[in-house]
Amino acid sequence: MAERIKLPVGVDLFKKMRGDGFFYIDKTRLIEQLLENGGEVNLFTRPRRFGKTLNMSMLRCFFEIGTEPDLFDGLYISFREDLCEKYMGKFPVIFLTLKDVEGVVFEKAKAKLIRLIALEAERFRFLKNSDRLTDNEKARYSALIQMRDGKYTMDEDALESSLQTLSELLYRHYGHQTIILIDEYDVPLDKAYQNGYYREMVSLIRALFGSALKTNEFLQFAALTGCLRVSKESIFTGLNNFKVLSITDARFDEQFGFTEEEVKKLLKAYHLEDHLAETKEWYDGYRFGNADIYCPWDVINHVDRLCGEPDARPQSYWINTSGNALVKRFIAKANKTTKDEIERLIAGEAIEKNVRLELTYDEIDTTIDNLWSVLFTTGYLTQAGMTEDGAYKLIIPNKEVREVYKAQIQEWFKDTVFRNTEQLTTFWNAIEEGNTEAIEKYLNRTLSNSISVFDTKAPEKEKESSYHTLLVGLLTGNSDWLVRSNVEAGEGFSDIIVEPEDPDAGIIFELKYAREVSGLEKACEKAIAQIRDRRYAEYLMNDGRNQILYYGIAFHRKRCRVIVERHEKTI
C-alpha cells in the first residue's frame, strides 16, 4: 500500500495534503515548540522550497476556529492532548502569502496587496452582520472589502491599518485574540528593489506590520516566513516582542526541510533505499542550527521521478524553480580574490567569512561581502562550522547547487570573452596561421582571468573535459568554422576537428592535462603523437582537406602550452 501513497509534488496546503492522502513528513512538533518557546512575533527565515508555506498552512489548520481535528490524527501534536485541548481550533486566524505582491511600478504591487488583504477579509464576511460589532465597526470592516468597477478600493489609511483592524474585529466577534500568519513577507521588498520603488514599499510594509504586530492588544501571536532577514530598522521598527529564528538558530532547526532520518523514511516507503547516497550527494548539505538538512522540494521530486523511471539520475529541481540572478550578480561583481575563492568553493573547500544576517535590500549590492551574506541566507552557501573569532566556514551545500555556480560561471565567461571581439579574432587568426605563441598568450590570459569550474580532486579525464568545453566554446564563436567535438576519426575519436572556410584546410586539436607545470611540453608531444598514430587526419582528407594543422595543447590549472605540426598530403 505504501507505494500507492501520492507524493505531494507542488502541494503546499496542509489540508489538501492530509485530506487527499498525500505522503506527509510530520512537522507538527513546530506547533509545540512555537507554543512553548516562541515569541509574540516570530520570523522564520529559510531558503525557498524548504516547506515554509506548508508549515504556515499547518499552523492555520491547527489553530483556526472551525478546524478539522482529524487532519492531525496520528501526528506528533495529537499526542500532546493538553495543547490540543487548549489551543486547537480556538483562534481566528489571518493568513496571507505575499509571494505574488509584485509589479513593474509601485501602484501595481500596491493594488495586488490591497486585493490580497481584501480577499482574506472576505473570508470573514459574517462580520458585516455580526451582532457583536457596532455600526462603526461594521463600517470599518466594509472599508476593507468595498469595490468599485470590479476592483477593491481600500484607501491608504485603511490599507495601512487593515491587519490590525481585522484582528480587532475578529476579537470583538469571537472574544479570542487573533493569530496572524504572513508567508513570504520579504517578496514585495525584493520585487520593489528590482523595479525601483523600494522606499515606497518599505514605507507601506512598515506601516502595515507596525500597526498589526506592535502593541496590538488583539494579537495572540504572529508568525512570518521569508528568505531574508530584512533589517529590523527598515520595517520592524519598535518591535520589542520580535523573535528571529534564522538558519543559524538551533531552535526549530529540524522543522523546515528534511532530516536524514526523514529522507530514509520516505525512500523506504517507496522501496528506494538504494538511492540514499545519490540523494545525499545532490540534495543534502544544508546546515540549519545543529541539524543536517535536505531540500524537501528536491527529494520529493527525485523520488517521484524514480517511481516512474527507476534508472533516473538526479537532476536540478530547486534551482529551476526561479532564476539564479543572485549568483550571476555575485560572479559579475567578483574581483580576482573573490574569483579565487569561488574556485576553492567549487573544489569543495570552505571559505571563512564574517556574514551579516540582517540587511536591507538596497545594501545587498553595495559590497561583495554583503553578497556573500545573502548567498548564505538564501541557500546557495551553507556553513560547516565557525572559527574562533566568529566567522562562518562557508561551503557549497551539494552537487545541485554546485551546478548553479558552474552554469553561471560559464555564462559569465561567454559574455566576457565574446565582448572582446578584437582579441578573439586575433586568436582565431593565430590558429589558422599556426602561431603558437599568440595562441598560448591568449589562452593563458583567458585562463588567468576566468574561474575554473573543475574539481581539483577530479580525475584527469574530467579536468581535460573542462578545458575541452572551454576551447570548444572559443572556437564555435567563429561563424566561418565548422567545429566538431569528439569526432570518430581514423582509429579513434578526435577531441576537436575544425573545418575552416578554406576548403583545403583543416585543424585537429588534441588536449591533455599535465599533473605538473614541468610536464606541459611532454603532454603536448604526446597529444601530437596520438593525432598521428590514430590517423585522425583521415577524417579531413576524405573531404579533400589536405593542408592540416595538428595542435597538441596541454593544461595545468591556469597554464597551458601549445605545439603545432603541419601535415600536407603529398600527391
Side-chain angles (χ1 to χ4, degrees):
M1 289 295 292
E3 63 269 25
R4 298 193 184 98
I5 299 176
K6 295 179 287 186
L7 281 159
V9 178
V11 179
D12 56 11
L13 295 178
F14 181 80
K15 183 176 180 179
K16 179 178 178 63
M17 189 173 290
R18 293 289 291 168
D20 292 353
F22 286 96
F23 191 96
Y24 176 65
I25 295 291
D26 188 352
K27 295 293 181 180
T28 59
R29 188 185 291 265
L30 172 65
I31 298 168
E32 175 189 65
Q33 292 179 327
L34 196 56
L35 290 172
E36 295 182 348
N37 303 304
E40 189 174 23
V41 179
N42 307 272
L43 170 60
F44 297 96
T45 60
R46 296 292 187 278
R48 55 190 167 85
R49 300 295 183 181
F50 273 80
K52 298 189 296 294
T53 301
L54 177 59
N55 275 347
M56 295 289 270
S57 175
M58 179 259 291
L59 292 178
R60 172 182 168 182
C61 286
F62 181 82
F63 288 106
E64 189 164 41
I65 292 170
T67 192
E68 301 172 32
D70 57 354
L71 291 174
F72 294 87
D73 284 353
L75 299 179
Y76 175 84
I77 196 64
S78 67
F79 299 101
R80 285 297 309 269
E81 295 180 6
D82 55 332
L83 297 181
C84 291
E85 177 68 25
K86 185 175 181 181
Y87 295 102
M88 183 184 280
K90 296 293 196 296
F91 302 90
V93 176
I94 299 170
F95 179 86
L96 298 173
T97 179
L98 305 188
K99 64 184 178 65
D100 295 321
V101 177
E102 60 174 301
V104 293
V105 295
F106 175 63
E107 289 303 320
K108 188 77 172 176
K110 179 181 171 184
K112 287 186 177 181
L113 182 61
I114 289 172
R115 183 175 185 274
L116 182 69
I117 294 173
L119 285 173
E120 179 64 3
E122 290 265 24
R123 285 206 306 124
F124 310 109
R125 204 167 183 86
F126 53 81
L127 293 173
K128 200 167 186 178
N129 300 308
S130 173
D131 57 6
R132 297 173 185 174
L133 268 61
T134 66
D135 289 342
N136 282 341
E137 287 168 341
K138 291 175 184 178
R140 289 170 64 199
Y141 173 74
S142 294
L144 301 181
I145 61 170
Q146 64 184 2
M147 300 187 79
R148 185 169 57 247
D149 300 328
K151 293 182 180 180
Y152 291 103
T153 58
M154 206 183 303
D155 64 28
E156 192 83 16
D157 290 338
L159 174 60
E160 290 182 354
S161 62
S162 57
L163 297 184
Q164 190 277 337
T165 298
L166 195 53
S167 65
E168 178 185 348
L169 299 180
L170 287 168
Y171 172 77
R172 300 291 183 206
H173 177 82
Y174 284 115
H176 294 284
Q177 290 177 305
T178 303
I179 293 170
I180 298 178
L181 305 174
I182 302 175
D183 187 39
E184 305 282 10
Y185 88 100
D186 54 339
V187 168
L189 300 170
D190 183 17
K191 301 299 183 182
Y193 176 69
Q194 293 179 33
N195 290 295
Y197 52 88
Y198 182 68
R199 293 187 183 281
E200 294 95 323
M201 184 57 75
V202 165
S203 178
L204 174 56
I205 296 295
R206 182 193 296 126
L208 181 68
F209 288 179
S211 62
L213 307 179
K214 181 172 62 175
T215 61
N216 180 1
E217 61 183 297
F218 311 106
L219 179 69
Q220 175 71 18
F221 74 82
L224 298 84
T225 70
C227 289
L228 283 185
R229 174 182 171 181
V230 178
S231 171
K232 185 176 177 180
E233 286 67 36
S234 63
I235 61 172
F236 298 118
T237 308
L239 272 178
N240 298 320
N241 55 351
F242 191 64
K243 182 176 285 191
V244 178
L245 302 149
S246 72
I247 56 175
T248 64
D249 204 305
R251 297 168 295 178
F252 303 90
D253 55 3
E254 295 186 356
Q255 303 312 323
F256 295 86
F258 292 165
T259 65
E260 184 149 313
E261 286 306 309
E262 290 167 342
V263 171
K264 287 178 179 178
K265 179 181 178 182
L266 176 59
L267 292 173
K268 184 177 181 181
Y270 295 88
H271 308 294
L272 296 169
E273 297 96 320
D274 292 345
H275 292 270
L276 178 62
E278 72 196 37
T279 305
K280 186 176 184 67
E281 180 187 17
W282 273 77
Y283 310 127
D284 186 22
Y286 300 94
R287 191 74 182 171
F288 297 164
N290 296 323
D292 182 34
I293 297 293
Y294 288 70
C295 176
W297 173 259
D298 285 324
V299 174
I300 289 170
N301 274 279
H302 185 47
V303 171
D304 184 59
R305 181 95 184 274
L306 287 170
C307 288
E309 299 176 50
D311 297 327
R313 301 302 303 156
Q315 60 179 266
S316 299
Y317 297 104
W318 180 75
I319 64 173
N320 291 328
T321 56
S322 68
N324 296 294
L326 186 61
V327 176
K328 187 174 183 178
R329 279 151 60 190
F330 177 63
I331 292 167
K333 205 176 185 71
N335 56 25
K336 197 100 173 175
T337 300
T338 305
K339 288 174 185 175
D340 177 70
E341 290 173 325
I342 294 171
E343 288 180 0
R344 288 163 54 198
L345 282 170
I346 291 172
E349 294 183 38
I351 303 298
E352 295 177 4
K353 291 289 174 182
N354 289 301
V355 300
R356 290 179 61 190
L357 296 175
E358 189 176 274
L359 289 164
T360 59
Y361 273 91
D362 52 1
E363 291 177 320
I364 290 173
D365 284 315
T366 56
T367 69
I368 196 75
D369 288 335
N370 286 351
L371 279 170
W372 279 104
S373 299
V374 177
L375 288 168
F376 173 51
T377 57
T378 53
Y380 290 100
L381 294 171
T382 192
Q383 54 111 345
M386 298 183 73
T387 64
E388 290 184 2
D389 62 357
Y392 285 96
K393 297 176 181 177
L394 301 180
I395 58 171
I396 294 175
N398 52 46
K399 190 167 183 178
E400 182 190 31
V401 180
R402 187 173 285 109
E403 293 303 309
V404 177
Y405 285 92
K406 288 183 177 181
Q408 293 302 329
I409 287 165
Q410 287 165 352
E411 186 178 318
W412 162 83
F413 176 77
K414 288 179 182 177
D415 290 345
T416 304
V417 168
F418 286 100
R419 203 179 299 133
N420 196 329
T421 54
E422 184 179 342
Q423 286 188 4
L424 198 53
T425 301
T426 301
F427 170 65
W428 293 330
N429 291 338
I431 290 173
E432 290 187 330
E433 296 163 3
N435 185 344
T436 57
E437 184 179 347
I439 296 168
E440 271 185 25
K441 184 177 180 181
Y442 179 82
L443 288 176
N444 281 321
R445 184 171 57 240
T446 301
L447 288 168
S448 176
N449 291 325
S450 69
I451 304 171
S452 300
V453 296
F454 58 82
D455 189 331
T456 56
K457 299 174 183 175
E460 288 183 19
K461 201 64 188 172
E462 287 185 26
K463 294 177 181 178
E464 283 180 21
S465 177
S466 295
Y467 293 111
H468 183 120
T469 302
L470 178 147
L471 187 56
V472 168
L474 293 173
L475 299 175
T476 52
N478 190 328
S479 58
D480 294 329
W481 289 356
L482 175 60
V483 181
R484 299 184 186 276
S485 177
N486 295 314
V487 187
E488 187 173 1
E491 296 179 358
F493 288 83
S494 174
D495 280 346
I496 305 170
I497 290 180
V498 176
E499 298 178 26
E501 195 173 20
D502 181 352
D504 295 323
I507 306 167
I508 301 173
F509 295 91
E510 187 64 31
L511 279 55
K512 298 294 179 186
Y513 182 80
R515 295 180 183 178
E516 305 290 341
V517 175
S518 58
L520 287 171
E521 185 77 23
K522 189 173 182 180
C524 286
E525 292 170 358
K526 184 179 177 182
I528 293 289
Q530 182 175 322
I531 295 172
R532 275 196 252 104
D533 296 344
R534 298 187 183 178
R535 304 200 306 276
Y536 293 155
E538 288 181 5
Y539 179 92
L540 292 165
M541 290 189 291
N542 289 339
D543 195 33
R545 294 177 180 270
N546 298 314
Q547 298 172 17
I548 303 170
L549 293 174
Y550 298 169
Y551 277 104
I553 305 182
F555 296 92
H556 175 76
R557 296 193 177 179
K558 296 200 170 188
R559 298 290 298 278
C560 84
R561 178 84 174 89
V562 182
I563 65 174
V564 66
E565 184 176 291
R566 295 179 184 274
H567 169 89
E568 292 201 28
K569 183 180 178 182
T570 55
I571 301 175

